[in-house]
Amino acid sequence: PGFRGIYSFLDVFTGDKKTEKDFGQLRERNLRRVYVGVETGCNELLRFLNKPATAKQTLEVCLAVKGAGLSLGVIIMIGIGGSRFLHRHIEQTADLVNLMDLGDGDLLYFSPFLESTSMEYSLRAAEAGIGSLTEQEREYQLNAIRCALNFEELQKPKVSLYDIKEFVY
């Protein structure tokens, strides 16, 4: 009693690639939602982040999850890539999310990027001359992505901030 199912994170960038049929079998075993750290729809930024997949491959996984009747939790980074990727991240991420067929029962999280000087990303960004976004630029990026999203009025996913500061890994 009280068991509501299983909710899981999926790394679409590594590991075995699951098909819609695979996800359907997992749904039959009580999987209810899959959370995916999409981060960005910008392939150039994904390459800079050393992610071994493309936005198209990420979309294929998300559509397989949805096609199997599971709900989807999508996590988008805000502030990643600095000013160099600011506008491409906005446009290409909104385009990608709009293709995911998100609706009622799905979740869309915006996760502010937390940077520390000891991170590999920070070192590579400094070498490439990529500075961090200001708080106003992050707010602009968040609002611009949200404004570019197209969801059916009665079938919208829930949208929220995903504040990593609240979690300890």
Side-chain angles (χ1 to χ4, degrees):
F3 178 70
R4 295 179 148 179
I6 300 167
Y7 299 80
S8 176
F9 278 89
L10 174 68
D11 179 358
V12 297
F13 301 111
T14 60
D16 293 337
K17 304 299 182 214
K18 303 268 187 259
T19 65
E20 185 175 318
K21 181 180 177 183
D22 295 329
F23 286 117
Q25 290 172 345
L26 291 168
R27 182 181 44 75
E28 290 171 5
R29 294 184 173 119
N30 290 314
L31 181 63
R32 295 293 172 248
R33 179 177 297 127
V34 176
Y35 294 90
V36 178
V38 172
E39 280 124 5
T40 182
C42 177
N43 285 321
E44 188 178 352
L45 181 51
L46 286 170
R47 281 191 299 279
F48 183 79
L49 297 172
N50 289 324
K51 299 296 182 180
T54 64
K56 181 181 177 192
Q57 291 167 319
T58 301
L59 176 62
E60 290 169 356
V61 170
C62 291
L63 291 177
V65 168
K66 294 290 294 171
L70 296 167
S71 66
L72 189 59
V74 173
I75 305 165
I76 301 297
M77 296 296 292
I78 297 299
I80 196 84
S83 58
R84 178 176 296 174
F85 293 98
L86 176 67
H87 296 290
R88 285 176 285 172
H89 177 52
I90 291 167
E91 293 163 12
Q92 294 169 17
T93 300
D95 289 346
L96 178 64
V97 172
N98 282 331
L99 293 172
M100 289 183 182
D101 194 29
L102 298 179
D104 190 38
D106 296 316
L107 303 170
L108 176 59
Y109 290 110
F110 291 103
S111 181
F113 178 59
L114 297 178
E115 190 174 353
S116 75
T117 55
S118 63
M119 293 173 66
E120 180 184 343
Y121 168 85
S122 299
L123 300 173
R124 292 184 66 231
E127 287 174 8
I130 298 173
S132 300
L133 295 180
T134 66
E135 195 57 42
Q136 292 82 10
E137 289 170 322
R138 287 172 182 252
E139 195 67 31
Y140 166 77
Q141 187 175 67
L142 172 64
N143 290 329
I145 293 172
R146 288 185 77 161
C147 287
L149 297 175
N150 299 312
F151 300 123
E152 291 185 34
E153 191 59 37
L154 298 176
Q155 292 294 315
K156 289 182 179 181
K158 291 182 180 166
V159 179
S160 179
L161 286 179
Y162 183 88
D163 195 344
I164 197 73
K165 291 182 289 190
E166 298 298 319
F167 300 96
V168 177
Y169 290 94

